[in-house]
Amino acid sequence: MWIFGYGSLTWKVDFPYKQRVVGYIKGYSRKFWQASVDHRGVPGKPGRVVTLVASKDPEAQVWGAAYEIHPQHEAGVLEKLNVRERRFDNRREMAVYVAGGQKQPQSVLVFVGTSQEDLVLGDASTEVMAKQIFECKGPSGPNYDYLFQLAIFMREEAPEAEDEQLFQLEKAVKKLFEDTETNFEPVWGIAYRIGQQDEARVMAHLDHREKDGYTRTPLPFYPQDPSIKSWELTIYLGSESNPFFVGQMEEENIAQIIASAEGPSGSNREYLFQLADTMRTLGVSDPHLFNIESQEEEEEEEEEEEEEEEEDDEDEEEEEEDEEKEEDEEEEVDEKEKQEEEEEEEEEEEEEEEEEEEEEVVEEEEEEEEEQ
């Protein structure tokens, strides 16, 4: 079985597959006409995601990614996708083509948007659609993240393909970010310019390093020096849809987690302190970061005090043990000296007895001689 993805399935794949092929289907256009009320929006404020619309041109192309599913995984993958793509209830078998126009021998299963009226948003101006995408978010994250990821896929994996609406919307949403920058709390950091000859190697390294929960996202960057014009760069953004996103919690609880966490790269506390030091070096404010750092420093001081108390207790125990040992040694010496004195006294008594016996013998002999 093969499955074809033309939206989030091009970059967010959460099922096992044997191989992945980038290609296109014919006779359709990709349009941001489908409402998303459970992934990139919510009921009452739906996001916009793509669906397929029949084209008058039978040669029209929609580029995406095809995945071959191993037979033993087919049932599990379909069960998962039936939940994930439940709003795309039209399932069709289609032919897929790769670069150069070569038709693949296998047909692919394609999930097409529903015809339910409340989920069909239909066409609108680029400005209206861009504003909706810019403002909406759902359980899987902000709607603009979906748009940006799809645009990245098209640029990197299907650079020869055209998708006018996709790139117009991307441009319009980025413009909204620039126009409303003063309404957002700034996130400070450092930008690195990568040479063209190193770009592929560096991105491959970062894709691996930031693989757990972070996705590449293009955003405008505003230098600290206001005289320098802003430009677009790529950041690795941890969206709410990734499995490692823990969500909002009290800063005290965050500090407690950081205090005890440690991994192959070192302690979580060291990560926090180095980030805070960098922000101070830049001379910028980050209340959330500094509040957690302050709590960590207090926690660290308490731990150090506890360690000092434990060390003092250990020292006292060692001193007591040494005193007891000295007392025991002194007792042993006293006992030994006493024993030696007793032995000497016994020897002296024995010598005196021997002398007395000898004197008695001499007296007896003298008496015998006198009698004779």
Side-chain angles (χ1 to χ4, degrees), residues 85 144 185 314 324:
E85 308 296 331
Y144 62 75
E185 182 180 343
E314 289 176 358
E324 289 178 359

Side-chain angles (χ1 to χ4, degrees), residues 251-261 268-270 272-273 289-303:
E251 290 175 348
E252 182 179 355
N253 295 335
I254 296 174
Q256 290 175 353
I257 293 172
I258 291 175
S260 60
N268 203 172
R269 179 176 280 169
E270 180 187 10
L272 169 73
F273 289 162
L289 172 64
F290 293 144
N291 286 343
I292 295 174
E293 180 198 31
S294 177
Q295 294 189 43
E296 280 300 313
E297 288 174 340
E298 291 177 3
E299 182 73 22
E300 191 174 43
E301 287 177 2
E302 290 177 1
E303 290 176 0

Side-chain angles (χ1 to χ4, degrees), residues 151-213:
I152 289 172
F153 162 78
M154 290 295 291
R155 281 200 187 87
E156 294 188 352
E157 302 200 53
E160 69 273 31
E162 296 180 1
D163 196 319
E164 183 178 1
Q165 185 188 69
L166 172 64
F167 295 124
Q168 283 181 348
L169 284 172
E170 180 194 31
K171 182 179 179 180
V173 171
K174 289 179 180 178
K175 181 67 166 54
L176 287 173
F177 269 103
E178 294 176 1
D179 293 344
T180 58
E181 62 168 303
T182 56
N183 295 328
F184 288 88
E185 182 180 343
V187 176
W188 291 93
I190 299 174
Y192 300 89
R193 182 179 180 182
I194 310 300
Q196 190 173 0
Q197 71 277 12
D198 298 320
E199 186 175 330
R201 178 178 58 82
V202 171
M203 296 311 293
H205 169 73
L206 290 175
D207 284 345
H208 176 73
R209 171 176 164 172
E210 310 295 338
K211 65 182 184 298
D212 292 332

Side-chain angles (χ1 to χ4, degrees), residues 108-286:
V108 294
L109 177 63
V110 186
F111 292 79
V112 183
T114 181
S115 57
Q116 296 178 29
E117 289 185 4
D118 58 334
L119 294 177
V120 178
L121 297 175
D123 198 9
S125 67
T126 299
E127 291 73 19
V128 169
M129 287 193 287
K131 188 174 186 296
Q132 186 174 358
I133 291 171
F134 177 71
E135 294 177 347
C136 290
K137 66 182 296 186
S140 294
N143 202 172
Y144 62 75
D145 179 56
Y146 174 97
L147 168 70
F148 291 162
Q149 293 301 329
L150 185 54
I152 289 172
F153 162 78
M154 290 295 291
R155 281 200 187 87
E156 294 188 352
E157 302 200 53
E160 69 273 31
E162 296 180 1
D163 196 319
E164 183 178 1
Q165 185 188 69
L166 172 64
F167 295 124
Q168 283 181 348
L169 284 172
E170 180 194 31
K171 182 179 179 180
V173 171
K174 289 179 180 178
K175 181 67 166 54
L176 287 173
F177 269 103
E178 294 176 1
D179 293 344
T180 58
E181 62 168 303
T182 56
N183 295 328
F184 288 88
E185 182 180 343
V187 176
W188 291 93
I190 299 174
Y192 300 89
R193 182 179 180 182
I194 310 300
Q196 190 173 0
Q197 71 277 12
D198 298 320
E199 186 175 330
R201 178 178 58 82
V202 171
M203 296 311 293
H205 169 73
L206 290 175
D207 284 345
H208 176 73
R209 171 176 164 172
E210 310 295 338
K211 65 182 184 298
D212 292 332
Y214 292 88
T215 54
R216 278 197 243 168
T217 304
L219 286 176
F221 176 77
Y222 303 92
Q224 195 172 25
D225 182 351
S227 66
I228 302 176
K229 189 178 179 181
S230 64
W231 70 86
E232 182 183 285
L233 49 62
T234 296
I235 71 167
Y236 283 81
L237 183 67
S239 68
E240 298 176 12
S241 61
N242 79 75
F244 301 95
F245 186 82
V246 295
Q248 185 177 0
M249 64 176 66
E250 295 293 331
E251 290 175 348
E252 182 179 355
N253 295 335
I254 296 174
Q256 290 175 353
I257 293 172
I258 291 175
S260 60
E262 187 165 350
S265 296
S267 70
N268 203 172
R269 179 176 280 169
E270 180 187 10
Y271 170 95
L272 169 73
F273 289 162
Q274 289 187 355
L275 181 58
D277 286 343
T278 301
M279 292 302 103
R280 272 189 287 273
T281 301
L282 295 177
V284 298
S285 174
D286 192 323

